[in-house]
């Protein structure tokens, strides 16, 4: 049960235990809601006040970017700790190895943080809260129920990177875990460096 929160759900829905799916979804959506609420407050309510403090949009974006990263990191840390405590009360054969636990923490931090930053960028670009919600919903559906149909394309969905059970750690044909680490770090780097610049360019210097 708690192990599936850390390693994710199998690609084949027939193998799912829906109690595990519900727990995974609740923990995941909790982090997305928390960072989405923070982003909405910063973008729609506090932006101009904080902008005065930082002086320009690039510094403001850096402040917001690292705030979202920080919130998601500590959220995943709490989720990871709760799941590890929960696994103290399950049979020994169902427990995860220390190596898998560490890898699961890294994959969840990178995957969920990437999703949260993309959500923030879409919110900033679209200037509404519905577009990022639709994006998150579509990515979640594609990751969970499109796992087998999108076997090639699916590895490029950041949320899939948080499913350690679908990686080459667990299965020979799984996605290369190093590839996902590097891809998500690259996505985060590009969004940090260019999203605000492109937004200003399209808006003629305005955000």
């Amino acid at each position: 049960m708690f192990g599936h929160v850390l390693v994710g759900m199998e690609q084949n829905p027939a193998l799912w235990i829906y109690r595990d799916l519900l727990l995974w979804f609740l923990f995941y959506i909790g982090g997305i809601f928390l960072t989405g609420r923070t982003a909405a407050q910063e973008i729609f309510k506090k932006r101009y006040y904080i902008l005065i403090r930082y002086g320009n949009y690039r510094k403001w974006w850096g402040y917001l970017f690292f705030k979202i990263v920080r919130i998601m990191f500590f959220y995943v840390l709490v989720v990871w700790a709760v799941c590890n405590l929960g696994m103290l009360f399950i049979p020994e054969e169902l427990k995860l190895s220390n190596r898998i636990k560490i890898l699961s923490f890294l994959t969840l931090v990178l995957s969920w943080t990437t999703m949260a930053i993309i959500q923030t960028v879409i919110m900033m670009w679209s200037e509404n809260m519905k577009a990022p919600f639709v994006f998150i919903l579509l990515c979640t559906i594609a990751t969970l129920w499109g796992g087998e149909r999108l076997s090639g394309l699916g590895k490029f969905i950041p949320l899939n990177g948080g499913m350690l059970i679908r990686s080459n750690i667990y299965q020979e044909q799984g996605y290369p875990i190093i590839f996902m680490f590097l891809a998500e770090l690259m996505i985060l780097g590009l969004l940090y460096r260019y999203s605000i610049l492109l937004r200003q360019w399209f808006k003629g210097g305005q955000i």
Side-chain angles (χ1 to χ4, degrees), residues 15-30:
L15 300 176
W16 295 351
I17 298 174
Y18 281 89
R19 177 192 59 190
D20 298 343
L21 174 63
L22 178 62
L23 189 62
W24 174 87
F25 180 77
L26 289 175
F27 276 126
Y28 163 66
I29 211 65

Side-chain angles (χ1 to χ4, degrees), residues 40-100:
Q41 288 178 339
E42 296 290 343
I43 292 170
F44 300 119
K45 294 183 179 180
K46 301 179 181 179
R47 176 175 59 190
Y48 296 109
Y49 301 106
I50 296 175
L51 187 58
I52 294 172
R53 182 195 309 169
Y54 286 96
N56 61 60
Y57 287 119
R58 189 178 299 182
K59 289 182 180 179
W60 169 79
W61 170 241
Y63 151 81
L64 178 56
F65 180 94
F66 286 108
K67 184 172 186 176
I68 296 298
V69 169
R70 201 163 51 243
I71 290 172
M72 187 58 88
F73 175 86
F74 285 110
Y75 177 81
V76 172
L77 184 61
V78 170
V79 169
W80 187 80
V82 168
C83 289
N84 275 281
L85 287 174
M87 282 191 288
L88 294 176
F89 305 98
I90 65 176
E92 193 68 33
E93 62 270 15
L94 298 178
K95 293 180 180 179
L96 304 177
S97 67
N98 290 333
R99 173 172 173 262
I100 294 297

Side-chain angles (χ1 to χ4, degrees), residues 120-136:
T120 303
V121 169
I122 294 174
M123 190 181 298
M124 180 176 65
W125 273 61
S126 65
E127 298 182 350
N128 71 69
M129 299 179 64
K130 293 181 180 178
F133 171 77
V134 171
F135 169 81
I136 293 295

